[in-house]
Amino acid sequence: MKYQPKKDAKIVLEDGTVFYGKAAGHIGTAFGEICYNTGMTGYQEVFTDPSYHGQLMVLTNVHIGNYGVHDAEVESDEVHITGLICRDFQTTFSRPRSEDSLQDYFEKHQIVAVTDVDTRALVSYVRDQGAMNVVISSDENLSVEELLAKVKEYPSMEGLSLAPKVSTKETYTLGDENSDIRIAVMDYGVKKNILNCLADRGAFLKVFPYNTKIDEVKDFNPNGIFLSNGPGDPGAMTEEIEVVKQLVDLEKPLFGICLGHQLLALASGLTTYKMHNGHRGINHGVLNLESGKAEVTSQNHGFAVDDKSLDACQSVILTHKNLNDNSVEGIRRTDKNAFSVQYHPESNPGPHDSRYLFDQFINNIKQAK
């Protein structure tokens, strides 16, 4: 096979910092908010997680693409990252059950990637300077100056409501329709394996678009409410926050994950903020304050609930905290049957330490009945 030299590629951060690498995936230009994921496996689940919509991903693991892609390992029907930066992008794969290479997968979905990058230096820089917008480009006709001008015009993640871009457009159902456990799922960007974790426990799910009004949910007559994960700034979702308030008042057991957790917090009188970097990976330690047990968790979020706002809200207690920075990882309403966590207990990819939370939700529904 004749050697094919790689094209040059550029990484331009909005503060003017420039890194260089080589082109991979689709040839072109991509914008997004830069973030990094510390997981060692599960890159396809990461790429297809709707919570990553609008993010340009840096993976800290060195070898990416070495086990190819497999249709059963997606969390949604499309790739949601806007682009990828990595150290070693593999164009071949060794796993027999994989259907395709990551290179072909990225070309199919038109995802730009940059490889041969000093990702330790890049992640260290972003860790210190904080999340910011970035542009990557393998278009040789665009200069650094032109790319910098373009990325400075790209909208900030703060203030963006992205649920409309990832939520289902039509309601649909999943699970055993004869089940006496009926859960209304508010889809702000739900992952397939979250739905599977509920359906596998015998629940019948009806998944509603992000902007569904309370009357339509009531018509389904659920005995449980689930608020899904999703991308964007929860503070920008004012109409959805009002609906969550109404959902809480239905007096049905309610469970929220990630963005759903933040919306429950905002609907309960708490506040949220944009984090310096966010938490993304499958190796984040969390302490369950009620059981005293620690969990290794899968996380993906750039916004968090402000722990200081808990002091002024007597109807909400802290149930989980992050063991790295003490940030809020879980809350529970004391006046309603509602709880939520910031991390992803379905854990695909990731350890399954937190799947008990789905059992807890199902038990809450059974006890309420």
PDB file of all heavy atoms in Angstrom, residues 284-304:
ATOM      1  N   HIS A 284     -15.532   9.498  37.525  1.00  0.00           N
ATOM      2  CA  HIS A 284     -15.719  10.580  38.499  1.00  0.00           C
ATOM      3  C   HIS A 284     -16.315  10.028  39.793  1.00  0.00           C
ATOM      4  O   HIS A 284     -17.379   9.409  39.782  1.00  0.00           O
ATOM      5  CB  HIS A 284     -16.647  11.651  37.925  1.00  0.00           C
ATOM      6  CG  HIS A 284     -16.042  12.429  36.798  1.00  0.00           C
ATOM      7  ND1 HIS A 284     -15.577  13.712  36.940  1.00  0.00           N
ATOM      8  CD2 HIS A 284     -15.802  12.093  35.504  1.00  0.00           C
ATOM      9  CE1 HIS A 284     -15.092  14.146  35.796  1.00  0.00           C
ATOM     10  NE2 HIS A 284     -15.226  13.172  34.908  1.00  0.00           N
ATOM     11  N   GLY A 285     -15.637  10.282  40.892  1.00  0.00           N
ATOM     12  CA  GLY A 285     -16.099   9.805  42.190  1.00  0.00           C
ATOM     13  C   GLY A 285     -17.205  10.678  42.759  1.00  0.00           C
ATOM     14  O   GLY A 285     -17.125  11.900  42.746  1.00  0.00           O
ATOM     15  N   VAL A 286     -18.254  10.034  43.263  1.00  0.00           N
ATOM     16  CA  VAL A 286     -19.391  10.715  43.878  1.00  0.00           C
ATOM     17  C   VAL A 286     -19.701  10.036  45.202  1.00  0.00           C
ATOM     18  O   VAL A 286     -19.658   8.805  45.305  1.00  0.00           O
ATOM     19  CB  VAL A 286     -20.634  10.669  42.954  1.00  0.00           C
ATOM     20  CG1 VAL A 286     -21.902  11.072  43.697  1.00  0.00           C
ATOM     21  CG2 VAL A 286     -20.428  11.580  41.751  1.00  0.00           C
ATOM     22  N   LEU A 287     -20.046  10.818  46.216  1.00  0.00           N
ATOM     23  CA  LEU A 287     -20.443  10.281  47.513  1.00  0.00           C
ATOM     24  C   LEU A 287     -21.945  10.416  47.688  1.00  0.00           C
ATOM     25  O   LEU A 287     -22.503  11.499  47.561  1.00  0.00           O
ATOM     26  CB  LEU A 287     -19.730  11.021  48.649  1.00  0.00           C
ATOM     27  CG  LEU A 287     -20.094  10.574  50.071  1.00  0.00           C
ATOM     28  CD1 LEU A 287     -19.678   9.118  50.299  1.00  0.00           C
ATOM     29  CD2 LEU A 287     -19.448  11.489  51.110  1.00  0.00           C
ATOM     30  N   ASN A 288     -22.611   9.284  47.967  1.00  0.00           N
ATOM     31  CA  ASN A 288     -24.027   9.275  48.331  1.00  0.00           C
ATOM     32  C   ASN A 288     -24.106   9.611  49.814  1.00  0.00           C
ATOM     33  O   ASN A 288     -23.715   8.805  50.667  1.00  0.00           O
ATOM     34  CB  ASN A 288     -24.626   7.893  48.035  1.00  0.00           C
ATOM     35  CG  ASN A 288     -26.114   7.829  48.317  1.00  0.00           C
ATOM     36  OD1 ASN A 288     -26.620   8.459  49.247  1.00  0.00           O
ATOM     37  ND2 ASN A 288     -26.835   7.037  47.537  1.00  0.00           N
ATOM     38  N   LEU A 289     -24.587  10.787  50.128  1.00  0.00           N
ATOM     39  CA  LEU A 289     -24.600  11.263  51.511  1.00  0.00           C
ATOM     40  C   LEU A 289     -25.620  10.520  52.363  1.00  0.00           C
ATOM     41  O   LEU A 289     -25.504  10.509  53.592  1.00  0.00           O
ATOM     42  CB  LEU A 289     -24.893  12.767  51.539  1.00  0.00           C
ATOM     43  CG  LEU A 289     -23.865  13.653  50.845  1.00  0.00           C
ATOM     44  CD1 LEU A 289     -24.358  15.091  50.770  1.00  0.00           C
ATOM     45  CD2 LEU A 289     -22.524  13.584  51.565  1.00  0.00           C
ATOM     46  N   GLU A 290     -26.609   9.906  51.738  1.00  0.00           N
ATOM     47  CA  GLU A 290     -27.645   9.199  52.492  1.00  0.00           C
ATOM     48  C   GLU A 290     -27.223   7.770  52.837  1.00  0.00           C
ATOM     49  O   GLU A 290     -27.556   7.267  53.905  1.00  0.00           O
ATOM     50  CB  GLU A 290     -28.955   9.203  51.701  1.00  0.00           C
ATOM     51  CG  GLU A 290     -29.495  10.619  51.496  1.00  0.00           C
ATOM     52  CD  GLU A 290     -30.848  10.655  50.823  1.00  0.00           C
ATOM     53  OE1 GLU A 290     -31.025   9.953  49.813  1.00  0.00           O
ATOM     54  OE2 GLU A 290     -31.727  11.401  51.303  1.00  0.00           O
ATOM     55  N   SER A 291     -26.466   7.120  51.948  1.00  0.00           N
ATOM     56  CA  SER A 291     -26.016   5.759  52.234  1.00  0.00           C
ATOM     57  C   SER A 291     -24.591   5.707  52.774  1.00  0.00           C
ATOM     58  O   SER A 291     -24.172   4.716  53.364  1.00  0.00           O
ATOM     59  CB  SER A 291     -26.096   4.910  50.962  1.00  0.00           C
ATOM     60  OG  SER A 291     -25.102   5.316  50.028  1.00  0.00           O
ATOM     61  N   GLY A 292     -23.829   6.786  52.521  1.00  0.00           N
ATOM     62  CA  GLY A 292     -22.434   6.811  52.920  1.00  0.00           C
ATOM     63  C   GLY A 292     -21.513   6.087  51.961  1.00  0.00           C
ATOM     64  O   GLY A 292     -20.309   5.970  52.214  1.00  0.00           O
ATOM     65  N   LYS A 293     -22.046   5.606  50.831  1.00  0.00           N
ATOM     66  CA  LYS A 293     -21.250   4.856  49.873  1.00  0.00           C
ATOM     67  C   LYS A 293     -20.763   5.755  48.740  1.00  0.00           C
ATOM     68  O   LYS A 293     -21.453   6.689  48.339  1.00  0.00           O
ATOM     69  CB  LYS A 293     -22.078   3.703  49.289  1.00  0.00           C
ATOM     70  CG  LYS A 293     -22.455   2.646  50.314  1.00  0.00           C
ATOM     71  CD  LYS A 293     -23.258   1.526  49.663  1.00  0.00           C
ATOM     72  CE  LYS A 293     -23.613   0.444  50.673  1.00  0.00           C
ATOM     73  NZ  LYS A 293     -24.402  -0.653  50.061  1.00  0.00           N
ATOM     74  N   ALA A 294     -19.590   5.416  48.227  1.00  0.00           N
ATOM     75  CA  ALA A 294     -19.038   6.138  47.089  1.00  0.00           C
ATOM     76  C   ALA A 294     -19.361   5.386  45.805  1.00  0.00           C
ATOM     77  O   ALA A 294     -19.512   4.159  45.801  1.00  0.00           O
ATOM     78  CB  ALA A 294     -17.536   6.308  47.230  1.00  0.00           C
ATOM     79  N   GLU A 295     -19.494   6.133  44.702  1.00  0.00           N
ATOM     80  CA  GLU A 295     -19.778   5.557  43.393  1.00  0.00           C
ATOM     81  C   GLU A 295     -18.783   6.119  42.384  1.00  0.00           C
ATOM     82  O   GLU A 295     -18.445   7.294  42.437  1.00  0.00           O
ATOM     83  CB  GLU A 295     -21.198   5.929  42.932  1.00  0.00           C
ATOM     84  CG  GLU A 295     -22.290   5.609  43.924  1.00  0.00           C
ATOM     85  CD  GLU A 295     -23.595   6.351  43.612  1.00  0.00           C
ATOM     86  OE1 GLU A 295     -23.827   6.661  42.421  1.00  0.00           O
ATOM     87  OE2 GLU A 295     -24.356   6.617  44.556  1.00  0.00           O
ATOM     88  N   VAL A 296     -18.338   5.277  41.468  1.00  0.00           N
ATOM     89  CA  VAL A 296     -17.584   5.750  40.308  1.00  0.00           C
ATOM     90  C   VAL A 296     -18.606   5.966  39.203  1.00  0.00           C
ATOM     91  O   VAL A 296     -19.345   5.058  38.837  1.00  0.00           O
ATOM     92  CB  VAL A 296     -16.499   4.749  39.881  1.00  0.00           C
ATOM     93  CG1 VAL A 296     -15.746   5.274  38.661  1.00  0.00           C
ATOM     94  CG2 VAL A 296     -15.542   4.487  41.025  1.00  0.00           C
ATOM     95  N   THR A 297     -18.674   7.182  38.682  1.00  0.00           N
ATOM     96  CA  THR A 297     -19.801   7.562  37.828  1.00  0.00           C
ATOM     97  C   THR A 297     -19.369   8.025  36.444  1.00  0.00           C
ATOM     98  O   THR A 297     -18.231   8.440  36.225  1.00  0.00           O
ATOM     99  CB  THR A 297     -20.619   8.693  38.486  1.00  0.00           C
ATOM    100  OG1 THR A 297     -19.813   9.888  38.516  1.00  0.00           O
ATOM    101  CG2 THR A 297     -21.045   8.334  39.894  1.00  0.00           C
ATOM    102  N   SER A 298     -20.347   7.967  35.534  1.00  0.00           N
ATOM    103  CA  SER A 298     -20.206   8.495  34.180  1.00  0.00           C
ATOM    104  C   SER A 298     -20.836   9.885  34.141  1.00  0.00           C
ATOM    105  O   SER A 298     -21.986  10.053  34.565  1.00  0.00           O
ATOM    106  CB  SER A 298     -20.908   7.568  33.190  1.00  0.00           C
ATOM    107  OG  SER A 298     -20.891   8.089  31.889  1.00  0.00           O
ATOM    108  N   GLN A 299     -20.100  10.884  33.645  1.00  0.00           N
ATOM    109  CA  GLN A 299     -20.587  12.260  33.696  1.00  0.00           C
ATOM    110  C   GLN A 299     -20.385  12.986  32.374  1.00  0.00           C
ATOM    111  O   GLN A 299     -19.475  12.681  31.606  1.00  0.00           O
ATOM    112  CB  GLN A 299     -19.874  13.031  34.815  1.00  0.00           C
ATOM    113  CG  GLN A 299     -20.007  12.390  36.176  1.00  0.00           C
ATOM    114  CD  GLN A 299     -20.025  13.390  37.307  1.00  0.00           C
ATOM    115  OE1 GLN A 299     -20.029  14.601  37.102  1.00  0.00           O
ATOM    116  NE2 GLN A 299     -20.054  12.889  38.529  1.00  0.00           N
ATOM    117  N   ASN A 300     -21.260  13.957  32.147  1.00  0.00           N
ATOM    118  CA  ASN A 300     -21.156  14.815  30.967  1.00  0.00           C
ATOM    119  C   ASN A 300     -21.997  16.061  31.195  1.00  0.00           C
ATOM    120  O   ASN A 300     -23.183  16.089  30.898  1.00  0.00           O
ATOM    121  CB  ASN A 300     -21.638  14.075  29.720  1.00  0.00           C
ATOM    122  CG  ASN A 300     -21.756  14.998  28.514  1.00  0.00           C
ATOM    123  OD1 ASN A 300     -21.178  16.085  28.506  1.00  0.00           O
ATOM    124  ND2 ASN A 300     -22.522  14.596  27.530  1.00  0.00           N
ATOM    125  N   HIS A 301     -21.397  17.098  31.738  1.00  0.00           N
ATOM    126  CA  HIS A 301     -22.144  18.345  31.935  1.00  0.00           C
ATOM    127  C   HIS A 301     -21.196  19.525  32.081  1.00  0.00           C
ATOM    128  O   HIS A 301     -20.096  19.401  32.596  1.00  0.00           O
ATOM    129  CB  HIS A 301     -23.057  18.263  33.172  1.00  0.00           C
ATOM    130  CG  HIS A 301     -22.325  18.010  34.465  1.00  0.00           C
ATOM    131  ND1 HIS A 301     -22.094  18.996  35.394  1.00  0.00           N
ATOM    132  CD2 HIS A 301     -21.779  16.888  34.987  1.00  0.00           C
ATOM    133  CE1 HIS A 301     -21.455  18.495  36.432  1.00  0.00           C
ATOM    134  NE2 HIS A 301     -21.240  17.213  36.208  1.00  0.00           N
ATOM    135  N   GLY A 302     -21.651  20.676  31.567  1.00  0.00           N
ATOM    136  CA  GLY A 302     -20.881  21.907  31.672  1.00  0.00           C
ATOM    137  C   GLY A 302     -21.537  22.936  32.561  1.00  0.00           C
ATOM    138  O   GLY A 302     -20.986  24.020  32.786  1.00  0.00           O
ATOM    139  N   PHE A 303     -22.753  22.615  33.057  1.00  0.00           N
ATOM    140  CA  PHE A 303     -23.466  23.469  34.010  1.00  0.00           C
ATOM    141  C   PHE A 303     -23.731  22.655  35.262  1.00  0.00           C
ATOM    142  O   PHE A 303     -23.744  21.417  35.227  1.00  0.00           O
ATOM    143  CB  PHE A 303     -24.785  23.966  33.418  1.00  0.00           C
ATOM    144  CG  PHE A 303     -24.610  24.917  32.258  1.00  0.00           C
ATOM    145  CD1 PHE A 303     -24.376  24.445  30.978  1.00  0.00           C
ATOM    146  CD2 PHE A 303     -24.669  26.292  32.456  1.00  0.00           C
ATOM    147  CE1 PHE A 303     -24.204  25.304  29.912  1.00  0.00           C
ATOM    148  CE2 PHE A 303     -24.493  27.172  31.400  1.00  0.00           C
ATOM    149  CZ  PHE A 303     -24.254  26.679  30.125  1.00  0.00           C
ATOM    150  N   ALA A 304     -23.932  23.333  36.382  1.00  0.00           N
ATOM    151  CA  ALA A 304     -24.164  22.632  37.646  1.00  0.00           C
ATOM    152  C   ALA A 304     -25.091  23.454  38.531  1.00  0.00           C
ATOM    153  O   ALA A 304     -25.281  24.657  38.326  1.00  0.00           O
ATOM    154  CB  ALA A 304     -22.842  22.369  38.363  1.00  0.00           C
TER     155      ALA A 304
END
